[in-house]
Amino acid sequence: MNSNIALLIIDMQNDVVEKLPLAPGIIPGIRDILDRFRTVKKPVFHIGRSYRSDGTDVELPRLEIFKEHGFRIVEGTRGAEIVEPLKPLPDEYVIIKSRWSGFFNTSLDLLLNRLGIGTVVITGVQTPNCVRTTAYDAIAYDLDTIVIKDCSAAMTEQVHEYNLADMANIGVQVMLKDEFFKQFESVVMK
Amino acid sequence: MNSNIALLIIDMQNDVVEKLPLAPGIIPGIRDILDRFRTVKKPVFHIGRSYRSDGTDVELPRLEIFKEHGFRIVEGTRGAEIVEPLKPLPDEYVIIKSRWSGFFNTSLDLLLNRLGIGTVVITGVQTPNCVRTTAYDAIAYDLDTIVIKDCSAAMTEQVHEYNLADMANIGVQVMLKDEFFKQFESVVMK
């Protein structure tokens, strides 16, 4: 862990959290980490997804589903807003993406580079999609990459577990929040 | 499936295939698909990974392993060459990447776009890493994306299966080679 560290909170938006039964349970843990970052004034990135109401930027397989069942996570709607307990402060970074990875067609890499960030801590949903693609890209960009196991979630515990195992195999550090806090205290708050 | 279709063969290089027990078994199937694409003169992309011998471009967690156990897939060595049965022809595309996704820091998107490709067919190794990240990026770039189940491989059948399930969930079409040939015949060879 590098003391130049940033927190990434992924897709904790109303429309996402309300559709994913295991997501509400991780809100308090993410809030704990968020509070810790705010206390030591380390950068926080709220990464979310939102779509145009005309659907032009929706990935094609999802567009079919949206047409059938109604659009979700549309920009400007309550569904696209970050859940109340994790609302960004004015000086925190908000990154809007229209695909899975927080790095895909966004300025995330540029901002992390400018801030001299060496370590990213990833939390949020869902483990197999936005969490995982962001973690793979973070490693690809030579970032020391941590995923907090009890602050991320998938549709099932099993999907969560096997995705974390794949990430650990390529060098992502998968750890529990308490374990992370121990390292955070010794490296960042020392 | 779109008749503007390209075949992507990922990481079927000596150093990769020799370390992955399930990889040699998929060579004949990939060769079948490759022959079919050559017959109808549809574009083929041989996507491989190679590293500088000084390690500057190796992802950091792997660099540690390489330092301990020796470098692999080094440019200009036999290990980085594509396995004999799948050797590229002079008019086929060869894309060298240093991370997982075939799209990451390469010209793959630009070339597919110039060729007007609507559908990509992904084969090769390993399912959780280079195959999966390439498939996610392909969907992200609005490509109709097919992964051939019996022409891709992971360390174990279980890892292979659950990664294919995750890909299917985001809209990747996962199919067996024979099923693919049926569609290919009706759409491309008609």
Side-chain angles (χ1 to χ4, degrees):
Chain A
M1 188 188 293
N2 188 299
S3 65
N4 290 327
I5 190 168
L7 173 62
L8 314 187
I9 305 174
I10 299 183
D11 286 13
M12 294 300 288
Q13 298 157 279
N14 291 314
D15 268 356
V16 181
V17 170
E18 287 165 11
K19 282 269 186 182
L20 197 68
L22 295 171
I26 64 171
I27 294 175
I30 298 178
R31 179 59 196 254
D32 264 8
I33 301 179
L34 179 58
D35 288 342
R36 205 71 63 107
F37 272 72
R38 285 173 174 169
T39 302
V40 295
K41 299 193 191 311
K42 291 289 178 187
V44 173
F45 288 80
H46 302 267
I47 300 172
R49 177 191 290 255
S50 85
Y51 297 116
R52 292 174 53 92
S53 56
D54 67 4
T56 331
D57 55 3
V58 180
E59 57 269 39
L60 294 173
R62 179 167 278 179
L63 186 58
E64 300 301 308
I65 299 166
F66 279 6
K67 280 180 179 166
E68 201 172 328
H69 301 284
F71 274 57
R72 291 173 51 222
I73 335 172
V74 175
E75 59 181 5
T77 67
R78 178 190 161 278
E81 281 174 21
I82 290 170
V83 294
E84 194 58 40
L86 305 177
K87 278 263 176 289
L89 296 181
D91 62 340
E92 291 171 347
Y93 300 91
V94 176
I95 301 277
I96 302 298
K97 60 187 175 60
S98 53
R99 293 296 182 269
W100 298 280
S101 170
F103 292 93
F104 190 86
N105 282 3
T106 72
S107 57
L108 180 57
D109 174 49
L110 180 155
L111 294 168
L112 294 173
N113 191 51
R114 174 70 60 91
L115 296 168
I117 297 300
T119 298
V120 289
V121 184
I122 301 176
T123 61
V125 293
Q126 303 190 27
T127 321
N129 299 332
C130 301
V131 168
R132 178 173 173 146
T133 50
T134 303
Y136 267 68
D137 278 348
I139 295 265
Y141 280 114
D142 281 350
L143 291 158
D144 178 43
T145 305
I146 297 168
V147 171
I148 309 294
K149 186 175 173 171
D150 46 349
C151 293
S152 50
M155 278 303 287
T156 69
E157 279 300 336
Q158 193 197 16
V159 169
H160 185 56
E161 290 290 343
Y162 64 59
N163 274 281
L164 292 173
D166 285 344
M167 286 187 252
N169 276 338
I170 62 137
V172 172
Q173 296 170 69
V174 176
M175 58 179 87
L176 292 168
K177 186 189 65 169
D178 288 348
E179 196 183 339
F180 168 71
F181 278 159
K182 268 185 214 154
Q183 292 194 29
F184 189 76
E185 271 158 37
S186 71
V187 174
V188 178
M189 305 178 79
K190 70 163 186 288
Chain B
M1 187 187 297
N2 187 300
S3 66
N4 290 326
I5 190 168
L7 172 62
L8 314 187
I9 305 174
I10 300 184
D11 286 12
M12 294 299 288
Q13 298 157 279
N14 291 313
D15 268 355
V16 182
V17 171
E18 286 164 12
K19 282 269 186 183
L20 197 68
L22 295 170
I26 64 172
I27 295 174
I30 298 178
R31 178 61 195 253
D32 264 8
I33 300 179
L34 179 58
D35 287 342
R36 204 72 63 108
F37 272 71
R38 285 172 173 168
T39 303
V40 295
K41 298 190 192 313
K42 291 289 178 187
V44 174
F45 288 79
H46 301 266
I47 300 173
R49 176 190 290 252
S50 85
Y51 297 116
R52 292 173 54 91
S53 56
D54 68 2
T56 331
D57 56 1
V58 179
E59 57 269 37
L60 295 173
R62 179 166 278 179
L63 186 58
E64 300 301 309
I65 299 166
F66 279 6
K67 280 179 179 165
E68 202 173 327
H69 301 284
F71 274 57
R72 293 172 51 222
I73 334 173
V74 175
E75 58 182 5
T77 67
R78 178 191 161 277
E81 282 174 19
I82 290 170
V83 295
E84 194 56 41
L86 305 177
K87 279 261 176 290
L89 295 181
D91 62 339
E92 291 171 348
Y93 300 92
V94 176
I95 301 278
I96 302 299
K97 61 187 174 61
S98 53
R99 294 294 182 269
W100 298 280
S101 170
F103 291 93
F104 190 86
N105 283 3
T106 71
S107 57
L108 180 57
D109 175 49
L110 180 155
L111 294 168
L112 293 173
N113 191 50
R114 174 70 59 90
L115 295 169
I117 297 301
T119 297
V120 288
V121 184
I122 301 176
T123 61
V125 293
Q126 303 189 26
T127 322
N129 299 332
C130 301
V131 168
R132 180 173 172 147
T133 51
T134 302
Y136 267 69
D137 278 349
I139 296 266
Y141 281 114
D142 282 350
L143 291 158
D144 179 43
T145 305
I146 297 169
V147 171
I148 309 294
K149 186 175 174 172
D150 47 349
C151 293
S152 50
M155 278 303 287
T156 68
E157 277 300 336
Q158 194 197 14
V159 170
H160 185 57
E161 290 290 343
Y162 65 58
N163 274 281
L164 292 172
D166 285 344
M167 287 187 251
N169 275 338
I170 63 136
V172 172
Q173 295 171 69
V174 177
M175 59 180 86
L176 293 168
K177 187 189 66 168
D178 287 348
E179 196 183 337
F180 168 71
F181 278 158
K182 267 185 214 154
Q183 291 193 29
F184 189 77
E185 271 158 37
S186 71
V187 174
V188 179
M189 305 178 79
K190 72 167 184 287

